[in-house]
């Protein structure tokens, strides 16, 4: 069989793309946007000052050498293009017509920039927490949701992706679409403390949580958690620092979940109410993330590896903009790292006695004179089914 001759390219650069410096969206709009801060905020999802700080952090990694064949794409254009993709979720084909860059060029720029954002800024906006950091996070939860000794709210979010080839049902989740999982621990300022990204959509949150690197470190007592302390105003036994989560996670001494919904008395209902007030922060953080970075409102048309880079970048940018674009918010500790969470010794089995004892300690505290809220009884009775 005769081999076919390779297809000849019609153009070295397409005539439309060759007009990028005159008609491309970056060259026609960028400088005008900088003169209109409100429009710039809407276009990039961050202020001009924050964009400049971000650009300064990434510039060396986004700068490439000019050649005799063509000029390199500037760091400003690379960053603006990436932010526009994350802010809108527009396809690479759509951005091709806006920025007059090749589709494969846009894909390479977005993936490289997302990876650089994660590598350069992760330690600045999500550093590994120390004991003092955990204490500040716990104080923030107590002030905002009146749940003491809470070091984070935990949950998973399914990020819709295109079905990877030959993947079978690995990425097919219980919501009946293909996804990868963003598992996150969040503080009371809606900032991500720890994330685990990229697990199969078919995997339960509890299993992801349990098998993560953080779970191993917690079981080995290597997370620098503070020593247990008494709940405010209480003379009872010291309580450990805990993470609040939903019913999808197993109960353990460091993970609190609600009492089962059957046979609830007022004491158990009050505990569930107080826990839900603290746990809402992770749900709100996911909502803020998706509303700002609207790439998550539709399916990511890329491989799971590249989708992971996009999610990592958005998590970092979420924290970055909340730090730099919200100076009036109360300052909270620097925030923890990468990889994920896993606190349960036996996620598929019955809760251990230690976890049950800790939950009972909190439940007793929430109905005590020192720990009760004036409105909690009315709240649970008003919503009782």
């Amino acid at each position: 069989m005769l081999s076919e001759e390779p297809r000849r390219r019609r153009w070295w650069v397409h005539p439309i793309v060759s007009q990028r410096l005159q008609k491309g969206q970056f060259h026609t709009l960028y400088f005008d946007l900088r003169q209109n801060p409100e429009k710039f905020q809407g276009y990039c999802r961050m202020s001009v000052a924050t964009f400049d700080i971000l650009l300064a952090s990434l510039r060396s990694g986004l700068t490439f050498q000019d050649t005799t064949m063509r000029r390199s794409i500037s760091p400003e254009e690379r960053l603006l293009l990436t932010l526009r993709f994350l802010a809108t979720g527009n396809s690479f084909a759509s951005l091709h017509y806006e920025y007059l860059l090749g589709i494969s060029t846009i894909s390479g720029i977005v993936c490289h920039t997302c990876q650089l954002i994660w590598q350069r800024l992760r330690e600045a906006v999500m550093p590994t927490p120390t004991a003092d950091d955990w204490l500040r996070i716990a104080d923030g939860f107590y002030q905002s949701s009146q749940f003491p000794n809470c070091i984070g709210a935990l949950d998973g979010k399914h990020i819709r992706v295109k079905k990877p080839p030959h993947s079978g049902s690995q990425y097919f989740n219980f919501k009946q679409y293909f996804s990868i999982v963003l598992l996150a621990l969040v503080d009371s300022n809606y900032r991500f403390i720890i994330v685990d990204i990229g697990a199969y959509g078919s995997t339960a949150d509890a299993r992801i949580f349990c098998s993560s690197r953080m779970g191993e470190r917690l079981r080995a007592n290597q997370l620098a958690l503070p020593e247990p302390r008494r709940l405010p105003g209480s003379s009872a036994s010291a309580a450990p620092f805990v993470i609040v989560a939903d019913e999808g996670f197993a109960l353990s001494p460091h993970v609190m979940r609600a009492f089962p919904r059957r046979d609830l008395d007022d004491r158990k209902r009050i505990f569930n109410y107080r826990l839900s007030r603290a746990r809402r922060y992770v749900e709100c953080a996911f909502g803020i993330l998706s509303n700002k970075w609207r790439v998550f409102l539709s399916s990511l048309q890329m491989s799971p590896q590249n989708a992971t880079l996009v999610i990592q970048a958005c998590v970092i940018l979420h924290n970055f903009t909340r730090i730099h674009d919200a100076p009036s918010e109360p300052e909270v500790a620097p925030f923890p790292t990468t990889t994920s969470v896993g606190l349960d010794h036996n996620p598929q089995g019955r809760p251990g006695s230690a976890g049950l004892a800790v939950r009972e300690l909190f439940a007793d505290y929430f109905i005590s004179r020192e720990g009760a809220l004036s409105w909690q009884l009315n709240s649970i009775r008003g919503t009782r089914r």
Side-chain angles (χ1 to χ4, degrees), residues 226-241:
E227 292 295 320
R229 67 180 182 185
R230 288 180 177 175
L231 301 178
S234 172
S235 59
S237 302
F241 287 83

Side-chain angles (χ1 to χ4, degrees), residues 250-252 257 346 349-353 355-356 359:
L251 183 69
S252 80
R257 71 175 188 185
N346 184 16
R350 299 173 65 85
S353 58
L356 290 170
R359 184 166 66 180

